[in-house]
Amino acid sequence: RDMSASASVLQKGEGSEGRRKWPRRPIFMPSTIRALGHATEKMLLLNLSKSGFMGETRREFQRGCFIEVMLPGVGHVRGRVVWCERGRVGGQFLRTI
C-alpha cells in the first residue's frame, strides 16, 4: 500500500490519549464507509490514526458490525464499529495502516 499520503498524520503515540496506542489526528476529508453486505455511504473523516477513525455520516451503524472504509492514498480498509451516535461513527481497523 502507498502510505505516503497518510504519513504526516499517522505517528506513533506516547500514551497521551489514554488507552489508545496511536494518536488521532484531525483530518477533514471526504471518504466512504460500508457495513459488510450493505450499500456504500458517504462519510467525512474527522480524525484518523493508524488503528482507527472517527467520521460523520447519515447512516447509523450497529456497534461491533464489520465495515470497510475508503482511505484516500491507502485504499479500502476493514474494521469494526466501536460506537455510533448523532451522525458520527468511531471505528477500529482490523490491522494498523
Side-chain angles (χ1 to χ4, degrees):
R1 292 182 190 172
D2 177 17
M3 304 267 283
S4 59
S6 306
S8 63
V9 265
L10 305 175
Q11 298 172 357
K12 188 168 181 177
E14 313 223 310
S16 62
E17 292 193 36
R19 64 181 193 233
R20 289 186 179 142
K21 183 176 179 181
W22 305 97
R24 299 265 171 118
R25 303 288 185 208
I27 181 172
F28 297 94
M29 188 174 294
S31 183
T32 60
I33 184 170
R34 178 177 71 89
L36 300 185
H38 292 79
T40 300
E41 303 287 334
K42 291 181 182 179
M43 178 174 68
L44 176 63
L45 283 171
L46 299 176
N47 69 41
L48 185 65
S49 78
K50 286 191 175 203
S51 61
F53 71 95
M54 180 178 68
E56 217 170 61
T57 183
R58 291 183 182 191
R59 184 169 186 271
E60 291 292 317
F61 291 87
Q62 188 152 7
R63 185 177 179 196
C65 77
F66 288 96
I67 52 169
E68 192 172 72
V69 176
M70 173 52 133
L71 298 179
V74 177
H76 289 94
V77 180
R78 289 193 173 191
R80 67 177 180 82
V81 172
V82 176
W83 61 270
C84 185
E85 62 182 58
R86 292 188 281 239
R88 292 194 173 185
V89 59
Q92 179 178 14
F93 301 131
L94 298 182
R95 295 186 201 165
T96 57
I97 56 170

